[in-house]
Amino acid sequence: MSLNIFDTAHPAALEPLLLGQRFVVLPPGNSGHGTKRLPLYLGWGRAFGSGLHETTASCVGEMERLAHLEGQRVLDVGAGTGLLSLASVALGARVAFALDIDPEAAEASARNASLNGMSQRVHVVCGTLDGLVSSGSFDLVLANIYGDIILRSAESLAGHVRPGGRLILSGIQYHDSTDIVFTLNALGLEKISVTFLDDYVTQVWINPPNRAGEDA
């Protein structure tokens, strides 16, 4: 399945882009013109995630609303440029796994992690979600990918969220949103919120800490 989607924006051509409440996305060498926001530097690459798309901004906003990310393990499925991984580390995550099936996206994620001095905390993986079995579960799983891919991968996505952890989904078309809700409910996750954007839907879920047979 392809996890590298949406656009091939050229971040180097962008003016500083305000993202969420705390970030500014910048091309390398751009100081941000004195902004006090946290800088995230992106080099050019053929991968999704410049910060322009409403789904990327929505995922960042949801991360900012979490009570804390300090010391947590994050999985970014369909990472593209790695922007969401970078933002999670900037918000305090101990480590982020930037996963994408596309070698160009993996290369972009690795390059951008280096640009931001995060190579030791952003682990880039070129491969599929099912290949991450040995990596264990995560405190936060992000999947900014198309809804039909989420439906096909729902069991694996849910299985990578530790008890008490969160799952943030975006890139969902309106017509897939209800099916995803039914599917994740059946897998034992609990819905926190559903946000309808201009063209897509963002959903936030929790894997309850008191699920039968599992410890918090």
Side-chain angles (χ1 to χ4, degrees):
M1 63 182 179
S2 175
L3 299 181
N4 180 33
I5 60 173
F6 292 124
D7 68 30
T8 54
H10 194 318
L14 298 177
E15 290 297 317
L17 172 65
L18 302 184
L19 181 63
Q21 298 299 311
R22 300 181 61 181
F23 295 105
V24 58
V25 179
L26 301 166
N30 191 315
S31 67
H33 305 296
T35 178
K36 295 182 179 179
R37 289 178 172 241
L38 296 173
L40 296 175
Y41 294 97
L42 293 186
W44 181 82
R46 294 181 58 82
F48 171 70
S50 67
L52 280 171
H53 201 279
E54 64 176 0
T55 60
T56 306
S58 180
C59 287
V60 170
E62 294 297 344
M63 277 196 290
E64 291 177 330
R65 280 187 280 276
L66 293 178
H68 63 85
L69 277 177
E70 289 80 5
Q72 295 196 352
R73 299 178 79 242
V74 174
L75 172 61
D76 178 9
V77 180
T81 62
L83 179 58
L84 296 181
S85 294
L86 300 175
S88 72
V89 168
L91 289 170
R94 175 168 58 87
V95 62
F97 284 71
L99 173 70
D100 206 297
I101 198 171
D102 186 336
E104 288 190 357
E107 181 181 354
S109 289
R111 182 170 59 248
N112 289 326
S114 179
L115 279 174
N116 287 273
M118 297 180 182
S119 294
Q120 298 302 310
R121 294 169 67 187
V122 176
H123 296 178
V124 178
V125 181
C126 185
T128 65
L129 185 58
D130 290 336
L132 279 179
V133 175
S134 62
S135 298
S137 59
F138 295 83
D139 302 288
L140 173 64
V141 175
L142 302 153
N144 184 16
I145 55 181
Y146 283 131
D148 60 334
I149 301 175
I150 291 172
L151 282 168
R152 295 199 300 269
S153 308
E155 186 172 359
S156 187
L157 284 167
H160 280 86
V161 185
R162 72 160 182 83
R166 302 299 204 275
L167 173 64
I168 298 176
L169 306 172
S170 198
I172 302 168
Q173 296 90 339
Y174 287 2
H175 63 266
D176 286 327
S177 184
T178 300
D179 287 342
I180 290 172
V181 169
F182 286 147
T183 299
L184 292 179
N185 276 333
L187 289 169
L189 272 64
E190 294 181 359
K191 177 167 54 67
I192 296 175
S193 66
V194 175
T195 303
F196 288 87
L197 310 173
D198 290 341
D199 297 306
Y200 295 92
V201 179
T202 298
Q203 298 179 0
V204 182
W205 295 79
I206 186 171
N207 183 6
N210 59 347
R211 287 178 66 178
E214 295 180 330
D215 297 326

